[in-house]
């Protein structure tokens, strides 16, 4: 029996009131169990993190100077639009910083890729890493690793080379870096060329590419053949040298490449991530995006991010982002949320594709939250970018994830994250939002909730949605 008087509105029943909203972490909590791993130790001879950070600051010195001048000193009115976004007018920056125009362009590119500046239309703002640059070694190293991951964007690819050939080399370069790391010293460029050729052939075999017996003459230059590999290897080595990952030096037997301490550390970190993921029960690194996300679902956020990084390190970022978004478009709401967590690890390279999903109703709330956090919003405050309707849609989607993968008690607790102040208000807006899982979510909530009055109201709402009633 309920103590509510017959003529008392539902909204006045204290048991039908909701507590203040909380962050929508319920879906993650629905399947999370604690799991910890000891932190691996870097190879003997690796400089301390403080020294690595000092070297990273040196590599990005021009970028930091330019970012501070652009984002702090001059703000929005320094922008001149180009194909890649607003950039500071080279002549103004060169005069102010005593740098050449080429160094200005290169520094700006590095500042953008390292997260030192954020572009909001024609407005330039300092990135969070810029604020922490002088005091946070971890932020510095993360910024440099972001630049390292984007080496192929720093150094333009040779003209006249098929994009497919460039993509193959970018995908094969981690193997070259692994050899350099394991060699612990200089490696002749011809040796690296042999390894690169072998890796490219392996990639084609994995894709089941069968070369034509007699390719047409016009296709010979467009197809990704091995004749252009020396040029592409030189391009890759020069690009990695440009970001401070390796050095190229002449020698008696020819040119040789050597990883810098920064490059050696970064390759070791990525190899460790791959090994950790490969040792997981599901073998996540070998899995598709969907299976990888399912394998990570029971991890706490920190270890899950390590798994995402390892999975991403074994793939080209463009293909990984496409695969993650394909999973997000599926029917499993839990995987949709996890896919966007993995995309947070990708960061800047995923921005354009995430921004394009804002037009898709099922992905729009996730994409808006991702973009808000990417622009520097605190995760706890990011939900302010959502409209009431979008927040309600996300509440239903998260409830669907809990209903599918969690316990009934978590579904009851999920009520606390609703933006509405009362259950009747929540039910009214849930009915109107049009989520395809609304009926199933309401039925599951009604079955799980211990309060008879609330359960009855939820069941009634489920029936109304199912029958199309008011």
């Amino acid at each position: 029996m309920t103590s509510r008087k017959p003529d008392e509105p539902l909204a006045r029943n204290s048991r039908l009131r909701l507590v203040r909203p909380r962050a929508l972490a319920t879906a993650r909590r629905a399947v999370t169990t604690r799991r910890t791993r000891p932190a691996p130790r870097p190879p003997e001879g690796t400089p301390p993190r403080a020294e690595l950070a000092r070297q990273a600051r040196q590599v990005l010195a021009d970028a930091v100077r330019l970012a501070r001048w652009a984002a702090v000193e001059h703000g929005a009115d320094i922008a001149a639009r180009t194909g890649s976004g607003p950039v500071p007018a080279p002549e103004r920056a060169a005069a102010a910083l005593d740098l050449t125009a080429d160094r200005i362009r290169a520094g700006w590119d590095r500042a953008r890729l390292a997260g030192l500046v954020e572009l909001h239309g024609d407005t330039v703002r300092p990135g969070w890493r810029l604020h922490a640059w002088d005091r946070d070694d971890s932020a510095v190293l993360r910024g440099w690793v972001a630049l390292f991951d984007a080496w192929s964007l720093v150094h333009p690819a040779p003209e006249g080379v098929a994009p497919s050939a460039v993509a193959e080399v970018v995908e094969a370069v981690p193997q070259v870096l692994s050899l350099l790391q394991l060699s612990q010293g200089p490696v002749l460029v011809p040796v690296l060329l042999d390894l690169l050729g072998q890796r490219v052939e392996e990639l084609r075999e994995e894709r089941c590419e069968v070369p034509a017996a007699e390719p047409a003459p016009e296709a010979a230059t467009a197809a990704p053949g091995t004749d252009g590999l020396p040029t592409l290897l030189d391009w890759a080595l020069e690009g990695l040298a440009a970001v401070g990952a390796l050095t190229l030096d002449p020698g008696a037997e020819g040119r040789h490449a050597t990883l810098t301490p920064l490059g050696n550390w970064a390759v070791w970190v990525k190899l460790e991530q791959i090994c950790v993921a490969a040792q997981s029960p599901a073998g996540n690194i070998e899995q598709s995006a969907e299976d990888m996300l399912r394998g990570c679902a029971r991890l706490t956020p920190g270890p899950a991010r390590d798994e995402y990084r390892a999975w991403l390190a074994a793939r080209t970022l463009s293909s990984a982002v496409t695969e993650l978004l394909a999973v997000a478009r599926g029917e499993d709401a839990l995987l949709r949320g996890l896919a966007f967590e993995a995309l947070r690890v990708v960061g800047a390279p995923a921005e354009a594709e995430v921004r394009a999903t804002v037009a898709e109703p099922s992905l729009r709330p996730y994409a808006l939250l991702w973009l808000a956090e990417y622009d520097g919003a605190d995760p706890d405050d990011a939900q302010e970018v959502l409209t009431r309707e979008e927040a309600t849609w996300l509440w239903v989607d998260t409830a669907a994830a809990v209903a599918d993968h969690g316990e009934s008690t978590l579904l009851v607790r999920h009520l606390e994250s609703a933006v509405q102040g009362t259950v009747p208000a929540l039910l009214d807006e849930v009915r109107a939002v049009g989520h395809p899982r609304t009926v199933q979510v309401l039925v599951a909530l009604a079955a799980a909730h211990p309060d008879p009055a609330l359960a009855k109201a939820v069941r009634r709402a489920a029936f109304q949605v199912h029958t199309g009633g008011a």
Side-chain angles (χ1 to χ4, degrees):
M1 294 287 291
T2 175
S3 60
R4 182 174 60 87
K5 297 178 181 179
D7 58 346
E8 183 181 10
L10 279 174
R12 287 189 175 182
N13 190 332
S14 61
R15 291 183 296 174
L16 299 183
R17 287 189 179 275
L18 300 177
V19 300
R20 58 186 178 84
R22 296 179 182 176
L24 287 177
T26 314
R28 161 61 76 181
R29 293 197 304 269
V31 293
T32 294
T33 56
R34 182 160 298 280
R35 172 176 167 181
T36 60
R37 299 188 181 100
R41 297 178 64 85
E44 186 177 353
T46 302
R49 286 179 67 85
E51 172 59 20
L52 291 171
R54 186 194 67 78
Q55 295 177 18
R57 288 185 176 97
Q58 187 175 4
V59 171
L60 286 162
D62 284 354
V64 171
R65 289 183 64 201
L66 182 57
R68 284 174 173 161
W69 177 83
V72 179
E73 296 291 335
H74 294 268
D77 61 349
I78 59 104
R81 178 153 296 276
T82 69
S84 60
V87 300
E91 63 279 0
R92 294 177 58 193
L97 301 175
D98 193 24
L99 298 173
T100 65
D102 287 343
R103 287 180 66 180
I104 291 295
R105 293 187 181 91
W108 182 253
D109 205 27
R110 285 157 175 71
R112 185 171 53 87
L113 294 171
L116 296 170
V117 293
E118 297 172 356
L119 309 181
H120 302 260
D122 287 335
T123 302
V124 180
R125 297 177 188 168
W128 71 268
R129 285 187 181 129
L130 189 63
H131 293 302
W133 196 254
D134 293 330
R135 56 180 170 79
D136 189 340
D137 289 346
S138 294
V140 172
L141 290 173
R142 285 194 295 267
W144 182 84
V145 169
L147 180 65
F148 170 71
D149 289 338
W151 68 265
S152 60
L153 304 178
V154 172
H155 196 57
E159 295 182 2
V161 180
S164 55
V166 174
E168 281 183 336
V169 169
V170 172
E171 191 172 355
V173 157
Q175 195 89 0
V176 174
L177 291 170
S178 297
L179 175 62
L180 287 168
Q181 200 267 345
L182 293 172
S183 299
Q184 298 182 349
V187 179
L188 290 171
V189 170
V191 175
L192 298 177
L193 181 60
D194 289 341
L195 177 63
L196 181 65
Q198 293 172 21
R199 182 57 182 152
V200 168
E201 291 300 328
E202 290 173 358
L203 291 171
R204 293 175 190 166
E205 290 177 5
E206 291 171 5
R207 293 194 297 267
C208 300
E209 289 187 5
V210 180
E214 295 183 2
E218 63 272 15
T221 56
T226 58
D227 292 342
L229 282 184
T231 300
L232 287 171
L233 176 61
D234 287 343
W235 163 69
L237 294 177
E238 290 166 2
L240 290 163
V243 300
L246 57 79
T247 58
L248 281 169
D249 301 293
E253 299 179 5
R255 284 198 313 162
H256 56 262
T258 309
L259 286 178
T260 64
L262 268 176
N264 189 70
W265 168 79
V267 175
W268 170 78
V269 168
K270 292 183 180 298
L271 288 173
E272 282 296 316
Q273 291 170 351
I274 291 172
C275 290
V276 166
Q279 293 167 2
S280 64
N284 292 325
I285 192 172
E286 302 292 340
Q287 303 299 323
S288 66
E290 179 174 347
D291 291 338
M292 180 274 294
L293 293 172
R294 291 191 189 280
C296 294
R298 292 189 176 276
L299 301 179
T300 51
R305 283 191 293 270
D306 291 338
E307 300 277 338
Y308 301 150
R309 292 188 184 99
W311 186 83
L312 292 165
R315 291 158 178 79
T316 59
L317 286 179
S318 59
S319 64
V321 170
T322 299
E323 196 173 346
L324 288 169
L325 287 175
V327 175
R329 294 184 176 97
E331 296 181 357
D332 194 320
L334 175 64
L335 296 188
R336 184 160 30 254
L338 295 180
F340 275 86
E341 286 191 21
L343 289 168
R344 285 177 174 85
V345 173
V346 177
E351 180 189 5
E353 293 193 55
V354 170
R355 197 174 294 278
T357 66
V358 170
E360 303 179 40
S362 63
L363 302 187
R364 179 178 174 82
Y366 294 95
L368 291 175
L369 291 176
W370 190 98
L371 292 168
E373 293 178 29
Y374 175 75
D375 288 339
D378 186 279
D380 290 336
D381 300 329
Q383 292 189 50
E384 295 177 2
V385 304
L386 301 181
T387 65
R388 180 85 161 220
E389 182 179 3
E390 291 162 352
T392 303
W393 195 101
L394 184 60
W395 184 91
V396 178
D397 205 51
T398 309
V402 178
D404 290 341
H405 301 277
E407 300 176 357
S408 58
T409 55
L410 287 173
L411 189 59
V412 173
R413 287 168 55 192
H414 184 52
L415 278 171
E416 300 173 358
S417 66
V419 296
Q420 293 79 8
T422 64
V423 171
L426 170 65
L427 295 178
D428 286 343
E429 295 185 33
V430 164
R431 285 197 296 262
V433 81
H435 192 288
R437 296 289 304 279
T438 298
V439 173
Q440 294 94 321
V441 164
L442 293 178
V443 169
L445 179 60
H449 208 285
D451 188 300
L454 190 149
K456 181 178 180 180
V458 174
R459 271 195 303 272
R460 184 185 303 114
F463 178 77
Q464 291 171 342
V465 173
H466 179 63
T467 59

